[in-house]
Amino acid sequence: MKTFKIATAVAMFAAMTAPSFASCDTHAEDEQAVCASKCEDAYLKDQQGWTADMDKVKANKKACDEKCGCPQNSKNL
């Protein structure tokens, strides 16, 4: 029974801390979040041009997110 309690505690700790190590949130301050934030800023800037090729802008955003390790940030484009 003691082993079960220890295993449960380890699993709960891992579940609580895992999201803090790999975040694609653009508001955090880790390296991945800064990269994702730069992708978002470039996307917003590029799409506001009068002659913006939206297919190219979306492709650039997807490529940038892939490079940062956050492909889920551009899944709805």
Side-chain angles (χ1 to χ4, degrees), residues 4 11-12 24 34 38 46-47 53 56 67 76:
F4 178 74
M12 289 178 66
C24 290
V34 170
K38 288 180 182 179
D46 291 344
Q47 76 177 4
D53 180 6
K56 184 178 178 183
K67 184 184 80 167
N76 292 330

Side-chain angles (χ1 to χ4, degrees), residues 22-60:
S23 173
C24 290
D25 180 19
T26 57
H27 302 294
E29 295 180 5
D30 63 343
E31 189 174 318
Q32 189 177 33
V34 170
C35 183
S37 179
K38 288 180 182 179
C39 293
E40 185 69 24
D41 291 345
Y43 174 70
L44 292 175
K45 179 182 169 268
D46 291 344
Q47 76 177 4
Q48 292 181 7
W50 284 97
T51 59
D53 180 6
M54 289 309 293
D55 291 331
K56 184 178 178 183
V57 171
K58 290 177 183 180
N60 289 343

